[in-house]
Structure formats: structure tokens, C-alpha cells
């Protein structure tokens, strides 16, 4: 990758920081999220193509508020400041930031006036933008000119084209600013001079060569879960090191119907990867017997997973083969969220840790710079089937989460069978809709071609409630099944999918008729927040 094409997203702790980075990547420009307190140090040895200063919760007047030296603004590196980033630019260079009585929040009309510079190229003069701020710039520093205003904001955007400094009070990264992506692209291409050649085909090619150089001829170990990240990481690495990659697939017996066999079929038969399947269902179910607390269940499964993986890895070492690398499907949000940025420390990630010290495995994390949608595109480049690349999120502890109370083989059987029916019917529904209208249902990603991209996630849960019913001449006392089907973009927020009644009716009839032990079906109509997507 050409370092001159790298843009830094300087993180001031705002909620949209990763979103800004994704938008830059969507413009096919490589970027890295750099915490503000690392910016000066890195700028000592490196010169990025440009920098985007993000928003943040602070006011420039607060004690300890993030700040950067004036000299950084004077180096000729193009800078786009957004919200707090723009206020910091104004404050540092001699303008005035104030806290007005009227706070703007939401969509507001934007008037450009004299805003005709390259950053507004091909953007209408009257448009709308998304505002979310308390402070704003009242007076811009000398040498700057105001390029747009709103009814309540006297400097919605401003620039000093000579110094290549640009500020916007609104948020171009959110979809509610309709020209936002265009403005970012104008900055990246027109002002930073980026070519926009960061593509996933390129990424895969360069990464395979890099892994070959690093790990060619050495043995690599991978815990394959069948999820998107570990699958793409494994196929990519397999291209580089071939049979020196050994994947261990721990089947904990908590997977969906036929899932374990599918993983073996695709990665073993289609990609000819060296996979060892460990059928550990009895072991996991044994440990889970009598446990009904959800946190306890998660802990038991996580701990047992590591032990099984270690035992299998140990066997490889005992065979004399050993391994030098441990391949992990870590992706960029994991890296940013686990503490390299200010907005960070949301959760700590535990992948496969705790391996015995004498194994001395170095980590190989080929996807650590990619966002999820980029990982999926690499998967497509590598020829992985769409149903795997676009696989729905599935919790590591598997169906144990969707089985409330104690996990038993009987309850797992009911969840698996009802879930398979639900998936079959929603997939068929999406397919029929596509045939009729050319468009599948809902569509977090319009124009997508896989059903799972439409209704974002759908599954059944067993809430551990039994109730009286009647079937034929008999009274029953059986389980209720909950259906969860949501629309979402990233799982952070979601809404319940407005499935047509006749589809719900068909699913309900089929589950009650075909799955023994079920006599009642419920549809969960809770959004997130306040609910969560999973029941647990
Ligand atoms: P919630 O239930 O928190 O879920 O609204 C948000 C998304 O995360 C998935 N999820 C998990 N994914 N390991 C995972 O890899 C987990 O332990 C886990 N728990 C929830 C969930 O399916 C949804 O898509």
C-alpha cells in the first residue's frame, strides 16, 4: 500500500469516528483511526495525504480538552475538521468558539452563499445537513472565509484554501447529510490528491504476497468457527501458505441445523483446506448441565472452547509438527474498540488467548485493518459462496444463548428444527419478492442479492415457557417458540421486521405441525433499544 495515499482520521472521542473511517474507505481511500494524543508523535516521522479531525464530546474551553499544536495546522497537510475538530481549528488559529443559547440538533437547511471552492464541487447551493452540537465558531480565524451558514449557525463551514484547512460544523459522515459523501470525496480526491484505488481485489493480492513473505514455509494454526471473519482469514492465508495451514473447527454442539457439516463441506471439499473437526458436543453439554444463568453459560462455553482448542493444538505439537503462527480473524472495529482510540474501551475482546507459553505462537491477523463490509468483499474476491460471506451474525456461544434456562439436547433440537423452518420460509419469501419486484424485502443494503442482506437477522428462541394447548383430541403441555426477525445496519440498533401476516402464519403453522414439543408461537415486536436482538 502506498503510504502517501493514507489518510488519518484523528479521533477526538466522538460517536461517529468509525463511521467517518468507513466513509473514507467507501471512497476507496485507505485510512487509519489515530487517537488525537498519538497524532503529533506519528506526524514526526510520517506525512499522511490528509487528516480528518472528528467530533468529540468536549468543549475547547474545558480543562484537559483534546488539543493539538498550532504547528500541525501549518505543515501544509490538508485537514478537514468536523464539529469539535472544526472548533479546535478555529480556537487554535485565533478565531472564537462560543456556546450559544440555541443548540442545533437534527436536519437543518444549509445555505452556501460564497461556498464555491473545491470542497463544494457539484453540491447544490441550497441543501440540508445534519447538525448535532452545543458550541460553534462565531468568528473564524484571519485568512479564513465562511462558506456556508444555517439559520442559527453563522459559520456552518469555513476554509483557508491556501493552508488547505477546511472546517464543517455539520456531520458529512451521516446519511442525513445527503451530500456528505460527496463532500468527503471532494476533500479526499480534490484537496488531498488521493487516487481512490483502495480496492478489496488489491488488498487480497497484496495481503497474500505479504503472508507468503512472512509465513511461507511455516506452519499456521487457525480456530475456524464458520463465521465470516475466521473463514475469510483462513481462505486468504490458505492461498499464501497452502497445506501449512491447519484449521481446528471445534463443534461445540450449539450450532444451527447442519452448520457443522456445511463448514466441513465448504472449507474441506471446496477449498481443500486442512481442517480437523473436533466433535465436542457431549463435553460442552456435560459442563452446561444444570446451569441456567446466562453469564455462567457464556463463561463455561468460552473456557471450554479454549481448553479443547489447546488440547488439539498440543496434539499437533506432540506430533512434532508444531506451528509458528496463530491465525485470527481480528477486524478493525476490534482493534479500535479495544483501546487504541479515545472513543475506545467499549469492551475487551478475548479471542483465543491463554495458550501455553511454550507454544510460542506469533499472531497472524491479516484482516485487522478491515471493516466488516470490507471483509465480506474480500471473501467475495476469494470466491467464497455468498451464503457464507453474507452469513448472519451468530453468537460465539451459539444456540445456548437462544435457549433460556438450562441447555438440554431436547431443547436444542426444538430450536434447531424451528430455526431451520423459519429460515427456509423467510428466504423463500425474500426470493419471491425479488422475482415479483426485482427488489428484496426491507434492505439494509438496497440492491443486495442475498436474502440475508434484506431482513438483517432472523432466528427462533426457546424462552423456556410451557403452556397448555390442544392438538386433535389431546391436551398438550408444550414449549412456546419466539420468532425474532429484525432490520438493522450493524446490529447496534434494530427494528422488528414487518413480515406479512401470511408469512408469519405459514411459519407458525409449520413449526407447530412439524416440530414435536411446540404448541405456541410468539413474534417479538421490540426494537433495540430498549430490547436487544438476542434473548438470553
Ligand atoms: P444484542 O443481543 O446485544 O446483539 O442486541 C447484537 C448483535 O451481536 C450478536 N451477538 C454476538 N455475537 N458473540 C458474537 O460474536 C456473542 O457473544 C454475541 N452476542 C450477541 C447478535 O447476534 C446480534 O447480531
Amino acid at each position: 500500500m502506498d503510504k502517501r495515499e493514507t489518510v488519518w482520521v484523528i479521533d477526538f472521542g466522538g460517536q461517529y469516528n468509525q463511521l467517518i473511517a468507513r466513509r473514507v474507505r467507501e471512497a476507496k481511500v485507505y485510512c487509519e483511526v489515530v487517537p488525537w494524543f498519538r497524532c503529533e508523535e506519528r506526524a514526526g516521522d510520517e506525512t499522511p495525504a490528509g487528516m480528518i479531525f472528528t467530533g468529540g464530546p468536549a468543549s475547547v474551553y474545558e480543562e484537559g480538552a483534546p488539543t493539538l499544536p498550532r504547528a500541525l495546522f501549518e505543515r501544509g497537510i490538508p485537514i478537514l475538521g468536523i464539529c469539535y475538530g472544526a472548533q479546535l481549528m478555529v480556537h487554535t488559529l485565533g478565531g472564537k468558539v462560543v456556546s450559544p443559547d440555541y443548540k442545533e440538533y437534527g436536519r437543518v437547511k444549509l445555505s452556501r452563499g460564497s461556498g464555491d471552492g473545491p470542497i463544494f464541487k457539484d453540491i447544490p447551493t441550497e441543501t440540508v445537513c445534519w447538525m448535532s452540537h452545543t458550541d460553534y465558531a462565531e468568528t473564524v480565524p484571519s485568512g479564513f472565509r465562511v462558506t456556508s451558514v444555517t439559520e442559527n449557525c453563522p459559520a456552518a463551514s469555513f476554509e483557508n484554501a491556501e493552508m488547505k484547512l477546511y472546517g464543517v460544523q455539520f456531520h458529512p459522515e451521516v446519511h442525513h447529510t445527503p451530500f456528505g459523501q460527496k463532500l468527503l470525496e471532494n476533500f479526499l480526491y480534490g484537496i488531498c490528491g488521493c487516487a481512490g484505488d483502495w480496492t478489496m481485489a488489491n488488498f487480497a493480492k497484496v495481503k497474500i504476497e505479504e503472508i507468503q513473505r512472512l509465513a511461507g514455509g511455516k506452519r499456521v494454526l487457525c480456530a475456524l468457527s464458520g463465521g465470516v471473519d475466521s473463514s475469510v482469514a483462513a481462505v486468504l492465508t490458505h492461498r499464501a501458505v497452502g497445506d501449512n495451514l491447519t484449521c481446528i473447527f471445534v463443534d461445540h454442539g450449539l450450532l444451527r441445523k447442519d452448520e457443522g457439516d456445511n463448514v466441513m463441506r465448504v472449507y474441506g471439499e471446496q477449498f481443500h483446506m486442512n481442517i480437523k473437526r473436533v466433535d465436542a458436543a457431549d463435553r460442552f453439554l456435560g459442563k452446561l448441565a444444570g446451569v441456567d444463568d446466562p453469564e455462567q453459560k457464556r463463561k463455561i462455553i468460552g473456557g471450554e472452547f479454549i481448553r479443547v482448542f489447546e488440547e488439539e493444538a498440543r496434539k499437533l505439537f506432540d506430533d512434532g509438527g508444531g506451528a509458528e503462527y496463530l491465525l485470527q480473524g481480528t477486524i478493525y472495529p476490534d482493534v479500535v474498540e479495544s483501546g487504541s482510540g479515545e472513543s475506545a474501551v467499549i469492551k475487551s475482546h478475548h479471542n483465543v488467548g491463554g495458550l501455553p507459553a511454550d507454544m510460542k505462537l506469533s499472531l497472524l491477523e491479516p484482516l485487522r485493518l478491515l471493516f466488516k463490509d470490507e471483509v465480506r468483499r474480500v471473501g467475495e474476491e476469494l470466491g467464497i459462496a455468498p451464503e457464507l460471506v453474507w452469513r448472519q451474525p451468530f453468537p460465539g456461544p451459539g444456540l445456548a444463548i437462544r435457549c433460556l434456562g438450562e441447555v438440554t439436547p431436547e431443547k436444542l433440537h426444538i430450536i434447531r428444527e424451528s430455526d431451520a423452518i423459519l429460515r427456509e420460509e423467510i428466504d423463500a419469501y425474500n426470493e419471491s419478492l425479488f422475482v415479483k419486484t426485482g427488489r428484496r424485502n426491507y434492505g439494509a443494503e438496497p440492491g443486495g442479492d442475498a436474502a440475508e442482506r434484506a431482513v438483517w437477522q432472523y432466528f427462533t428462541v426457546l424462552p423456556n415457557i410451557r403452556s397448555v394447548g390442544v392438538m386433535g383430541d389431546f391436551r398438550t403441555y408444550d414449549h412456546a417458540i419466539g420468532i425474532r426477525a429484525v432490520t438493522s445496519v450493524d446490529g447496534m440498533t434494530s427494528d422488528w421486521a414487518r413480515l406479512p401476516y401470511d408469512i408469519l402464519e405459514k411459519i407458525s403453522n409449520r413449526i407447530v405441525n412439524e416440530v414435536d414439543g411446540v404448541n405456541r408461537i410468539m413474534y417479538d415486536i421490540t426494537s433495540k433499544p430498549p430490547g436487544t436482538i438476542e434473548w438470553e
Side-chain angles (χ1 to χ4, degrees):
M1 184 195 341
D2 186 344
K3 277 280 171 200
R4 284 165 305 177
E5 282 279 306
T6 300
V7 165
W8 292 352
V9 174
I10 307 297
D11 183 352
F12 288 107
Q15 56 176 327
Y16 297 131
N17 298 350
Q18 285 198 37
L19 188 58
I20 297 173
R22 276 170 57 188
R23 297 277 173 259
V24 174
R25 300 273 186 97
E26 274 167 30
K28 298 191 171 61
V29 172
Y30 177 69
C31 67
E32 288 176 21
V33 178
V34 179
W36 66 270
F37 49 84
R38 300 237 179 284
C39 177
E40 216 185 327
E41 175 197 323
R42 280 194 65 173
D45 337 303
E46 298 169 56
T47 305
M51 296 193 272
I52 299 180
F53 287 7
T54 73
S59 155
V60 289
Y61 296 112
E62 256 170 58
E63 202 174 320
T67 183
L68 287 168
R70 188 182 177 105
L72 194 75
F73 294 89
E74 294 171 337
R75 279 186 52 184
I77 303 172
I79 299 175
L80 171 64
I82 298 174
C83 198
Y84 180 83
Q87 292 160 16
L88 182 68
M89 183 183 284
V90 166
H91 183 64
T92 310
L93 299 177
K96 189 163 182 212
V97 174
V98 297
S99 196
D101 293 337
Y102 184 85
K103 324 279 182 219
E104 266 182 322
Y105 184 82
R107 277 163 82 98
V108 292
K109 215 174 112 199
L110 183 82
S111 306
R112 282 244 309 279
S114 65
D116 51 359
I119 198 129
F120 281 107
K121 185 168 164 265
D122 300 331
I123 293 173
T125 41
E126 294 286 320
T127 175
V128 288
C129 65
W130 181 263
M131 285 284 193
S132 171
H133 67 93
T134 46
D135 292 1
Y136 64 44
E138 187 182 58
T139 321
V140 297
S142 79
F144 276 70
R145 67 184 183 117
V146 172
T147 50
S148 72
V149 297
T150 69
E151 194 183 338
N152 295 296
C153 180
S157 66
F158 43 86
E159 64 184 46
N160 181 329
E162 225 162 81
M163 292 176 78
K164 300 189 186 154
L165 301 180
Y166 297 82
V168 290
Q169 182 53 62
F170 53 85
H171 287 271
E173 70 275 21
V174 303
H175 282 300
H176 309 287
T177 299
F179 62 91
Q181 184 68 16
K182 180 72 194 148
L183 184 135
L184 289 173
E185 287 173 7
N186 285 344
F187 176 70
L188 297 166
Y189 307 148
I191 294 159
C192 303
C194 295
D197 52 9
W198 163 258
T199 63
M200 290 305 107
N202 244 334
F203 172 86
K205 183 170 165 283
V206 169
K207 219 33 171 187
I208 290 168
E209 287 165 7
E210 197 183 305
I211 301 171
Q212 262 160 358
R213 273 198 306 279
L214 189 73
K218 298 180 181 148
R219 290 189 55 180
V220 182
L221 195 60
C222 166
L224 189 71
S225 68
V228 181
D229 305 338
S230 71
S231 297
V232 173
V235 174
L236 192 72
T237 304
H238 184 248
R239 291 275 165 89
V241 305
D243 282 347
N244 276 330
L245 172 70
T246 305
C247 299
I248 296 176
F249 168 47
V250 178
D251 185 345
H252 50 24
L254 302 163
L255 295 170
R256 293 174 292 189
K257 190 176 179 182
D258 299 331
E259 205 162 17
D261 295 343
N262 283 341
V263 169
M264 293 308 289
R265 203 183 58 235
V266 172
Y267 297 103
E269 292 171 23
Q270 184 189 336
F271 287 102
H272 308 291
M273 278 163 33
N274 204 346
I275 309 187
K276 177 154 193 215
R277 177 178 185 167
V278 189
D279 282 310
D282 291 345
R283 203 169 146 166
F284 279 84
L285 285 178
K287 294 265 175 193
L288 288 168
V291 180
D292 56 13
D293 175 66
E295 267 310 300
Q296 189 69 16
K297 287 198 273 187
R298 275 183 181 270
K299 281 207 184 98
I300 289 172
I301 295 164
E304 201 56 19
F305 189 91
I306 291 171
R307 271 189 293 280
V308 175
F309 182 77
E310 277 173 9
E311 282 170 23
E312 293 304 319
R314 167 70 66 196
K315 283 184 202 158
L316 286 179
F317 275 74
D318 290 347
D319 289 348
E324 284 186 50
Y325 285 97
L326 177 67
L327 174 66
Q328 289 196 334
T330 316
I331 66 171
Y332 203 46
D334 303 337
V335 176
V336 177
E337 282 176 14
S338 16
S340 64
E342 264 287 90
S343 54
V345 202
I346 296 169
K347 56 187 172 197
S348 50
H349 281 260
H350 302 285
N351 292 329
V352 184
L355 287 171
D358 63 335
M359 285 196 195
K360 292 202 184 71
L361 292 165
S362 308
L363 275 190
L364 193 61
E365 299 180 313
L367 309 177
R368 64 180 280 120
L369 296 177
L370 301 189
F371 287 108
K372 191 86 174 184
D373 48 332
E374 293 177 311
V375 173
R376 294 193 205 273
R377 275 187 278 127
V378 173
E380 286 181 329
E381 290 293 335
L382 295 170
I384 305 177
E387 63 268 25
L388 287 167
V389 169
W390 293 97
R391 182 183 188 263
Q392 293 184 24
F394 186 64
L399 298 181
I401 283 188
R402 298 174 184 170
C403 176
L404 277 65
E406 187 187 2
V407 180
T408 64
E410 296 72 33
K411 283 157 80 178
L412 286 175
H413 176 77
I414 291 177
I415 300 178
R416 261 192 207 109
E417 294 302 319
S418 58
D419 186 67
I421 292 171
L422 174 83
R423 282 197 283 152
E424 215 177 286
E425 290 302 330
I426 295 189
D427 291 349
Y429 165 60
N430 274 312
E431 205 48 51
S432 68
L433 204 77
F434 183 70
V435 170
K436 257 196 290 193
T437 63
R439 200 182 151 265
R440 284 185 172 83
N441 191 29
Y442 308 117
E445 301 204 32
D449 59 0
E452 301 212 338
R453 277 188 257 186
V455 187
W456 197 75
Q457 192 175 10
Y458 38 106
F459 52 86
T460 58
V461 294
L462 188 141
N464 215 20
I465 301 167
R466 297 210 297 165
S467 65
V468 173
V470 57
M471 258 188 201
D473 294 331
F474 298 100
R475 186 178 175 278
T476 58
Y477 185 61
D478 281 336
H479 279 288
I481 277 288
I483 294 174
R484 192 67 166 136
V486 299
T487 55
S488 177
V489 175
D490 51 15
M492 303 295 285
T493 58
S494 71
D495 199 1
W496 56 281
R498 269 54 170 181
L499 290 174
Y501 287 158
D502 51 352
I503 301 299
L504 286 169
E505 180 187 24
K506 192 163 179 206
I507 293 167
S508 168
N509 283 342
R510 278 197 61 193
I511 294 177
V512 172
N513 290 333
E514 295 174 35
V515 185
D516 283 346
V518 179
N519 67 357
R520 199 176 289 277
I521 308 292
M522 304 176 290
Y523 190 38
D524 181 350
I525 53 166
T526 324
S527 62
K528 172 185 179 178
T532 52
I533 296 177
E534 299 285 347
W535 292 30
E536 195 168 343

